[in-house]
Amino acid sequence: MSNDTLPTAQLGDPTQARADRHSRRRNRLAHVVTHVCIWIGVLLSMFPFYWLVTMSTNTTAEIFAFPPKLTFGTNLAENVENLLANVDLIQALLNTVFVAGALAVLVMFFDSLAAFTFAKYHFPGKNVLFTLLIATFLVPGSLSLVPSFVLMSELGWIGSFQALIIPGAANAFGIFLLRQFATNSIPDELLESARIDGAGFFRCYWSIGVPMLRGGLAFLGIFTFISAWNDYIWPLVVLVNPQRQTLQVALQTLNSIYLTDYGMVMAGALISVLPLIGVFIIGQRHFIANIAAGALKG
Amino acid sequence: MAAADTRVRPEPGVAPVPVVRRRSAIGRFWPQYLAVSPFYLLFLVFGLFPIAFSIFLSFQDWDGIAPMRFVGLAQYQFLLSDPRFWNAVGNTFLIWFMSTIPMLFLALVLAFLLHQNIRFKGFYRVAYFLPNVTSMVAMAIVFGSIFSDSFGIVNSALTAIGLDQVPWLSSEWGIKVTISAMVIWRFTGYNAIIYLAGLQAIPTELYDAAKVDGANTWRIFSSITVPMLRPVILFTVITSTVGGLGLFTEPQVLLGDNGGVGEAGMTIVLYQYNQAFTQFDFGYGSAIAWALFIIASVFAIINWRLIRERDTPRGGRKKGASA
């Protein structure tokens, strides 16, 4: 870079003025290049979403046309109508909202309870228990696909929501994360004075722990909700009953059966994506910051 | 509550040394144990037990209905000589390689660009992160249409500029490129956001000092940015490896349970699913799961070694990293 100007350089020095102009022009060029690259990235990132909306608003004939129609059409209502006539996507949507919502609530409750305890209480065996908790991170999930399925069928949970909700109702990741929050954000003095006022353990948790963990809980709730919404392989294995299908499974069934009606399949895909985008955009501040922070500390 | 236990009954003739009558830990700390117990109970039943059971299953021949038959190491012997399994291993690594390298490179460049003093940073962050949180089934369907052989927009674009069409979904390389494209699309922004957070944690004095010393942009990037980001880069390599080894949704939705033409999109997890839940060979499915576990462990050890070897001599991690 050419801004190796010494502070002593005389004002009005013609060589210097030229160098300055040169450097400013270079900076502006760099600025433009930066923005062009960033926008190419944004467009590539967004294009599949745009294309999804385009396809779900066009007729299948228009989608198959050459060259393909790149703009929104007027067929959305009809595609959705066909969709609802062929599959019970509303049921699948409700199922997914129920499963993801229940998981988010349970995870927030059990994880915060454990995290609060680990952060603010001493009890025999605490360190051993916490080390065990960390060790479970090493246990890979994909290993247990087959035996978990067998277990579910022994329990009679195949085709039921318990199979999706109960095993994930508390997790090490969330406890670990919330414990960091609790250690930093809940002052011991506050708990001390609550105890002096006669508050028991659960009262302390509910009246002090939960309100002070709000930020971490918001992140954990959104994170769990999104993961549960997107989970595919486990519901695919466990939910054999079409009445109980989640969106992802219903969508894949739709995709493999109705190959010819692309507009309809895309309308289904759109319905499965939109609520999620809504949840993400509402909670994105908590979400992105925590994901990035987790990577730095991890 | 605890105060009640330390109350000492004064006895005549005995010095008032507080004799604490200890109740058992469970009795005193039951709320604490109760509060942490759900995780451990669930882990025991739905985490640990299935894993132990899967070792057992991998030594059996079982279709889920007929009685199990103990076959010893036969599943593993078969696995070692099973060309379909090795094809799946090869595919998984090829796709991982084809996606991770461009993805992390692009993410680094993007993060570097976003780190400049620009406006609308919040908007860009959301735009780049969005692919990572959307339903992969829906997006695999969308990618299937974008890369469709006959009417896909990619082939239309190729035709429009006078190039030959590529059979993306019906050729072995086309399939791998399409799956890699999906992975790259989904995770580049995610990794860029993580790098960006790493960049923001690098003290600006370092850059200022380099500029005073007359370093150019490339020099600054290669001598300060990349070395300072090393721990974060390793984190993304590890998460990409874990994700890459577990690849399932993309090939399954795009190509079905058999991984498409020549099983070119058959990954290890897809093969496990295929064997266990479409062929009902639970024993073999479990053996595949354990093979995957061994492969993943080898990679975890390599990664861990890499981190340790390089970090020990320099010691200590940077402090005060704030996102």
Side-chain angles (χ1 to χ4, degrees):
Chain A
M1 282 202 177
S2 54
N3 52 359
D4 45 348
T5 6
L6 293 169
T8 50
Q10 262 192 322
L11 275 168
D13 177 356
T15 346
Q16 187 48 46
R18 209 179 306 128
D20 274 355
R21 229 179 299 131
H22 181 66
S23 121
R24 223 176 299 134
R25 209 176 300 135
R26 268 188 65 154
N27 275 341
R28 197 174 309 146
L29 184 70
H31 194 70
V32 170
V33 171
T34 302
H35 272 85
V36 168
C37 291
I38 288 175
W39 270 96
I40 291 174
V42 168
L43 292 179
L44 285 175
S45 205
M46 287 296 130
F47 181 76
F49 295 111
Y50 172 78
W51 197 233
L52 172 61
V53 179
T54 308
M55 286 190 290
S56 50
T57 56
N58 280 317
T59 62
T60 302
E62 282 166 327
I63 297 169
F64 282 106
F66 182 86
K69 191 171 173 244
L70 290 165
T71 51
F72 295 162
T74 52
N75 215 44
L76 178 65
E78 208 189 314
N79 284 336
V80 173
E81 229 168 80
N82 287 340
L83 179 74
L84 299 183
N86 278 301
V87 277
D88 205 348
L89 210 73
I90 298 297
Q91 185 61 49
L93 185 73
L94 293 175
N95 292 346
T96 310
V97 170
F98 174 73
V99 168
L103 255 172
V105 170
L106 288 176
V107 165
M108 279 157 66
F109 175 66
F110 287 128
D111 284 7
S112 63
L113 197 56
F116 175 72
T117 313
F118 276 126
K120 293 293 161 192
Y121 289 85
H122 294 284
F123 50 95
K126 174 181 154 177
N127 290 334
V128 176
L129 283 173
F130 196 70
T131 310
L132 264 175
L133 181 115
I134 302 293
T136 64
F137 279 124
L138 300 172
V139 177
S142 61
L143 213 51
S144 53
L145 196 60
V146 176
S148 295
F149 173 80
V150 176
L151 177 64
M152 292 303 151
S153 70
E154 287 298 316
L155 292 171
W157 287 7
I158 295 292
S160 79
F161 292 146
Q162 287 108 290
L164 298 190
I165 297 170
I166 306 294
N171 63 57
F173 159 76
I175 296 174
F176 185 71
L177 179 102
L178 288 179
R179 182 180 153 272
Q180 306 285 94
F181 272 92
T183 312
N184 296 330
S185 67
I186 304 175
D188 290 324
E189 297 78 30
L190 198 61
L191 286 171
E192 210 56 54
S193 61
R195 250 172 259 152
I196 290 167
D197 290 347
F201 171 81
F202 290 103
R203 185 69 206 267
C204 285
Y205 160 74
W206 192 251
S207 305
I208 296 172
V210 172
M212 300 208 87
L213 283 174
R214 233 176 324 170
L217 280 171
F219 166 67
L220 187 63
I222 298 164
F223 183 85
T224 311
F225 188 87
I226 290 178
S227 315
W229 187 285
N230 285 332
D231 196 11
Y232 177 57
I233 189 165
W234 183 235
L236 182 68
V237 167
V238 171
L239 295 182
V240 286
N241 180 352
Q243 295 297 301
R244 289 285 157 85
Q245 277 181 353
T246 57
L247 268 177
Q248 311 301 323
V249 182
L251 196 57
Q252 168 57 357
T253 316
L254 186 72
N255 182 45
S256 47
I257 295 176
Y258 299 95
L259 279 169
T260 46
D261 197 346
Y262 245 79
M264 178 180 96
V265 174
M266 291 302 163
L270 186 66
I271 290 174
S272 82
V273 162
L274 277 183
L276 202 62
I277 293 180
V279 169
F280 171 66
I281 289 184
I282 291 167
Q284 49 93 7
R285 280 189 70 95
H286 287 291
F287 195 82
I288 294 177
N290 279 301
I291 293 262
L296 285 188
K297 286 167 197 151
Chain B
M1 241 197 262
D5 303 316
T6 49
R7 225 182 292 145
V8 183
R9 221 180 300 128
E11 281 177 51
V14 178
V17 178
V19 182
V20 182
R21 269 230 326 175
R22 308 201 67 175
R23 273 202 277 156
S24 73
I26 306 266
R28 278 177 37 160
F29 297 104
W30 67 267
Q32 281 81 356
Y33 290 119
L34 186 68
V36 301
S37 61
F39 166 75
Y40 297 94
L41 291 175
L42 290 175
F43 179 72
L44 212 63
V45 178
F46 299 106
L48 213 54
F49 167 73
I51 298 227
F53 187 48
S54 90
I55 300 180
F56 171 77
L57 265 182
S58 73
F59 296 118
Q60 310 286 326
D61 184 20
W62 191 39
D63 63 358
I65 299 164
M68 287 184 204
R69 200 163 57 84
F70 179 77
V71 294
L73 287 169
Q75 302 285 14
Y76 292 97
Q77 268 163 0
F78 179 70
L79 182 124
L80 289 175
S81 62
D82 179 7
R84 294 182 71 197
F85 171 72
W86 290 110
N87 172 51
V89 173
N91 290 340
T92 306
F93 278 100
L94 258 177
I95 294 168
W96 172 72
F97 203 72
M98 285 164 65
S99 57
T100 304
I101 290 173
M103 170 177 87
L104 294 185
F105 174 74
L106 286 174
L108 201 55
V109 172
L110 256 182
F112 195 66
L113 295 175
L114 284 174
H115 190 49
Q116 316 296 314
N117 202 9
I118 51 164
R119 286 192 289 167
F120 312 123
K121 224 180 246 184
F123 165 75
Y124 295 136
R125 245 186 280 201
V126 172
Y128 282 120
F129 211 93
L130 199 53
N132 190 249
V133 294
T134 31
S135 143
M136 212 46 234
V137 175
M139 291 334 267
I141 295 172
V142 174
F143 268 79
S145 82
I146 290 177
F147 283 91
S148 163
D149 292 353
S150 46
F151 68 93
I153 192 164
V154 174
N155 274 344
S156 301
L158 289 176
T159 313
I161 56 171
L163 293 171
D164 284 342
Q165 299 201 339
V166 177
W168 297 109
L169 299 180
S170 56
S171 68
E172 299 203 359
W173 280 101
I175 284 172
K176 291 190 177 81
V177 170
T178 307
I179 295 173
S180 304
M182 257 190 278
V183 176
I184 293 171
W185 176 75
R186 188 165 185 215
F187 286 102
T188 301
Y190 166 85
N191 286 303
I193 301 299
I194 287 174
Y195 289 154
L196 182 61
L199 285 175
Q200 283 162 349
I202 299 176
T204 43
E205 299 88 62
L206 277 178
Y207 288 112
D208 295 340
K211 272 184 201 150
V212 168
D213 290 346
N216 61 22
T217 311
W218 171 249
R219 191 65 215 258
I220 290 175
F221 182 75
S222 61
S223 303
I224 297 181
T225 310
V226 172
M228 288 298 285
L229 276 184
R230 238 183 49 88
V232 186
I233 292 174
L234 274 166
F235 171 85
T236 59
V237 170
I238 293 168
T239 47
S240 310
T241 311
V242 172
L245 288 174
L247 197 63
F248 171 79
T249 307
E250 288 89 339
Q252 201 267 352
V253 175
L254 198 63
L255 307 157
D257 292 339
N258 286 314
V261 176
E263 300 201 335
M266 180 72 94
T267 59
I268 304 175
V269 178
L270 182 53
Y271 192 50
Q272 182 198 351
Y273 173 81
N274 178 305
Q275 292 300 299
F277 298 106
T278 68
Q279 308 298 316
F280 298 103
D281 196 343
F282 286 170
Y284 192 46
S286 300
I288 296 168
W290 278 98
L292 175 61
F293 172 67
I294 290 164
I295 294 170
S297 306
V298 169
F299 269 78
I301 291 167
I302 293 172
N303 278 325
W304 187 69
R305 269 284 180 71
L306 278 174
I307 298 172
R308 224 179 46 138
E309 265 171 34
R310 297 275 183 79
D311 272 357
T312 353
R314 278 194 294 164
R317 293 160 51 100
K318 58 185 187 296
K319 281 183 197 146
S322 59

